[in-house]
Amino acid sequence: MAKVLIVDDDIFLHKVLERILTIGGHQVGGHAYNGEEALEQFVKMNPRPDIILMDHRMPVMNGATATREIVRIDPSAKIIFVSADDSAYDEAIDSGALDFLSKPIRAKNLFESFEKYLKS
Amino acid sequence: MENLQLILSLIEGTNDLIHSIEPDHSFEFVNRSWLETLGYDDSDVSSLHLKDIIFPGDVKKHSDLISTILSGEYKTDVKTIFLTKDGDMIHVEGNLFPRREGSEIIAATGFFRNVTEREETNKQLRESRVRAEFLVDLMVHDLTNINQEILSTFEVLLYNPSFPPQLESFVQEGLEEVERASRLIMNVKKIIRLDAVSHEQVLWDIAEVIKEVAKTVEDRFSDKKLILETNAETGKYHIVADEFLSDVFYSLIHNSMKFDTLQEVEVEIEIEPVKHTPFLRIQVKDHGPGIPDEEKELIFSKLSHRRESILGFGLGLTLVKKLLENYGGYINVQDRIEGDHTKGANFVVLLRYRSREDMDEEEKK
């Protein structure tokens, strides 16, 4: 079971992702609606999230910038991008994300990615 | 004398703007079109200087250019902006060359074409493109999020132990439709991006591309199994292409999976070089319902969207054709069994390739 921080500016998406994650036996430990909030949440969360699900295009601070900052604070942070913007792939991986899943994602693909990176 | 008359009539008859500029930047000569376009009379010319007719931001650059010409150089494809007497901007492009009397250079002569309308059209096109890209981008982002929400909601229903099993197939169909809508949206985005941005070309191992794509496609069909037979050999043939190469094979294999009604879907991919040409022939053969002769051309046509939507191909094959054209390649569709389209389709792709031998040779160099 993983403790997950969901970062996305779409409020409804938080609800459906949380339901999916719960079905998969995971726990949502925090919600953030832009990169800056993600950074604040990450610092506050104790213990830190096992996985961060990160959108890219968000107001205030985008996902890649937030990822760079989070990885700077904790290089072992595990961040998986879930984004509708395929063109952000390189930026996401360069900023320190472990994986990039293109929306819309199936639960199966999400859990496979979890399994892969929780083990590592 | 007759020759001189001919030259003068050509200079006065042309729509090009011609002027001759002296070292002090006054005008030695201007033609009729120059006067009409810039709104001056013959009587104005003697008091004009170069700086009066050149857009302020271009004066320094153009003055330097005139100095170069007066030192004996020729310049072609000169682009600048003239100003009319009323202050309107006239975009021009043309050539500058020295005018000599004997061995002495006495002026810089320019022949310019008025390209203002073309520039204006280009500007409007660029603005329209930026606007279209912005709207498509916005649509793609928001619709994809909406699709994600619908898809995840369907999945939550399916995973619910109390969900009636007899309704599962409806939800599965809904899931597939959401994914189809998402692919359509992404294809629109890709088609727009293909025209707008130049993409980095890298070397792809075609066998690896096909292997990865086959896995991705199979993952998309929870109730079907892909039986792929191929002679593709890792490391043997490489294609120079951008990141969208996999979309070509994704679309073809996905269509095969989608239209074949069997649970186990057989697809054969045969790869062979076309002798004495730079092309690799890649045949993607399936056992689906096939494509009747009258539809064979239509499925790739951008202008047959209504038709395509009846056939259910969306924009996938339009994107495939566009991508292959960008790679200098080609696609057509034939019957897997010649003369009987009902036995399945054979999509024949031609792509320029490099063999392992070519690459070894290049490395040695």
Side-chain angles (χ1 to χ4, degrees):
Chain A
M1 189 195 84
K3 188 178 169 187
V4 184
L5 168 63
I6 302 176
V7 188
D8 200 302
D9 60 335
D10 189 319
I11 296 167
F12 193 71
L13 203 68
H14 280 254
K15 287 186 193 165
V16 289
L17 278 177
E18 183 160 11
R19 284 184 195 138
I20 289 283
L21 289 168
T22 309
I23 288 166
H26 303 289
Q27 181 207 338
V28 176
H31 295 270
Y33 299 90
N34 63 56
E36 200 172 273
E37 284 182 18
L39 204 56
E40 285 167 15
Q41 289 271 333
F42 181 77
V43 173
K44 274 188 207 161
M45 280 172 80
N46 189 15
R48 295 254 161 90
D50 302 306
I51 295 271
I52 302 170
L53 287 183
M54 181 74 80
D55 187 19
H56 178 60
R57 203 182 298 177
M58 293 178 290
V60 187
M61 184 189 283
N62 70 26
T65 309
T67 298
R68 212 170 285 119
E69 290 302 313
I70 290 170
V71 171
R72 198 174 54 80
I73 295 166
D74 180 357
S76 68
K78 290 175 176 166
I79 301 172
I80 295 172
F81 264 67
V82 179
S83 174
D85 186 2
D86 274 0
S87 61
Y89 178 89
D90 288 342
E91 204 184 342
I93 300 299
D94 289 348
S95 66
L98 296 174
D99 202 358
F100 188 102
L101 303 174
S102 294
K103 285 179 188 168
I105 48 158
R106 285 285 190 107
K108 176 175 164 268
N109 303 109
L110 184 65
F111 297 148
E112 274 175 6
S113 184
F114 270 39
E115 203 175 320
K116 183 174 172 188
Y117 293 107
L118 283 172
K119 277 181 195 164
S120 65
Chain B
M1 196 63 183
E2 275 181 18
N3 282 347
L4 186 60
Q5 284 297 329
L6 176 64
I7 291 166
L8 281 174
S9 66
L10 286 174
I11 287 173
E12 288 305 312
T14 182
N15 285 329
D16 287 350
L17 285 69
I18 304 172
H19 63 204
S20 189
I21 295 168
E22 295 190 274
D24 65 355
H25 289 185
S26 62
F27 290 91
E28 182 203 19
F29 170 80
V30 298
N31 72 340
R32 176 199 54 83
S33 181
W34 191 101
L35 288 169
E36 283 177 8
T37 308
L38 300 188
Y40 290 106
D41 293 326
D42 274 326
S43 57
D44 296 321
V45 176
S46 59
S47 60
L48 284 173
H49 277 76
L50 181 67
K51 65 176 171 49
D52 299 320
I53 64 120
I54 297 283
F55 180 69
D58 268 4
V59 169
K60 168 84 174 66
K61 193 174 130 199
H62 205 79
S63 299
D64 292 345
L65 201 57
I66 296 296
S67 303
T68 314
I69 303 302
L70 291 171
S71 69
E73 283 189 38
Y74 287 68
K75 290 283 177 191
T76 57
D77 202 24
V78 174
K79 292 184 175 74
T80 189
I81 303 169
F82 288 171
L83 277 186
T84 67
K85 193 174 183 179
D86 294 335
D88 293 333
M89 290 195 285
I90 305 291
H91 292 263
V92 294
E93 56 186 42
N95 303 327
L96 278 166
F97 53 89
R99 188 172 101 69
R100 296 169 196 272
E101 261 186 18
S103 60
E104 191 187 353
I105 296 170
I106 60 157
T109 301
F111 280 64
F112 293 98
R113 180 147 296 171
N114 182 351
V115 293
T116 308
E117 271 185 37
R118 194 186 74 196
E119 287 295 313
E120 190 54 38
T121 307
N122 285 344
K123 189 178 159 208
Q124 284 171 3
L125 271 176
R126 280 194 299 272
E127 284 170 358
S128 301
R129 184 175 288 283
V130 167
R131 200 164 44 243
E133 280 170 33
F134 171 74
L135 291 173
V136 168
D137 208 39
L138 194 69
M139 181 197 76
V140 167
H141 183 263
D142 289 5
L143 282 182
T144 306
N145 271 348
I146 292 167
N147 278 343
Q148 176 70 68
E149 288 156 13
I150 300 170
L151 190 141
S152 295
T153 305
F154 279 150
E155 286 201 301
V156 168
L157 286 175
L158 280 180
Y159 285 124
N160 188 331
S162 58
F163 188 72
Q166 68 272 24
L167 297 181
E168 273 182 21
S169 64
F170 292 104
V171 177
Q172 282 292 0
E173 279 170 25
L175 277 170
E176 279 162 26
E177 286 305 299
V178 173
E179 286 187 328
R180 190 161 79 94
S182 297
R183 278 196 305 280
L184 180 67
I185 293 164
M186 289 314 291
N187 284 344
V188 169
K189 187 180 178 185
K190 281 174 184 169
I191 288 171
I192 297 266
R193 272 175 68 199
L194 274 180
D195 288 334
V197 190
S198 68
H199 300 272
E200 192 190 357
Q201 306 281 314
V202 291
L203 215 51
W204 299 91
D205 184 326
I206 193 69
E208 289 298 305
V209 170
I210 288 170
K211 208 159 63 180
E212 263 183 47
V213 165
K215 187 184 173 310
T216 311
V217 174
E218 197 178 12
D219 282 350
R220 293 278 174 195
F221 292 85
S222 53
D223 56 338
K224 287 185 176 180
K225 187 172 168 52
L226 172 64
I227 314 286
L228 177 66
E229 275 184 37
T230 179
N231 65 344
E233 215 178 289
T234 299
K236 196 166 183 185
Y237 300 118
H238 292 80
I239 307 287
V240 179
D242 56 27
E243 76 225 54
F244 297 119
L245 178 66
S246 59
D247 283 276
V248 171
F249 298 99
Y250 182 93
S251 195
L252 297 179
I253 300 173
H254 191 277
N255 282 341
S256 300
M257 286 287 275
K258 182 178 166 186
F259 290 108
D260 198 321
T261 50
L262 298 175
Q263 299 279 301
E264 295 200 338
V265 178
E266 287 177 52
V267 176
E268 294 123 45
I269 300 185
E270 291 170 15
I271 301 181
E272 57 176 352
V274 184
K275 276 182 192 165
H276 313 301
T277 77
F279 290 106
L280 200 61
R281 182 189 291 116
I282 305 167
Q283 298 184 79
V284 181
K285 300 176 181 177
D286 65 35
H287 296 249
I291 295 159
D293 286 346
E294 62 272 23
E295 311 283 8
K296 283 187 169 75
E297 284 298 319
L298 290 173
I299 57 170
F300 299 109
S301 169
K302 268 196 278 196
L303 300 175
S304 61
H305 290 166
R306 283 185 62 196
R307 190 87 185 164
E308 282 184 0
S309 62
I310 292 165
L311 288 164
F313 285 111
L315 280 176
L317 290 175
T318 306
L319 177 66
V320 166
K321 185 164 189 276
K322 194 164 177 52
L323 285 167
L324 289 169
E325 283 170 357
N326 283 4
Y327 304 149
Y330 176 78
I331 186 167
N332 74 13
V333 62
Q334 301 170 2
D335 298 331
R336 188 177 63 83
I337 307 289
E338 201 182 331
D340 184 357
H341 83 266
T342 63
K343 295 281 191 294
N346 176 14
F347 285 88
V348 183
V349 172
L350 294 184
L351 272 169
R352 291 166 192 275
Y353 78 104
R354 284 196 220 171
S355 67
R356 187 158 36 203
E357 292 76 26
D358 293 338
M359 290 172 64
D360 288 346
E361 199 63 35
E362 279 167 25
E363 261 180 40
K364 277 182 203 164
K365 284 176 189 168

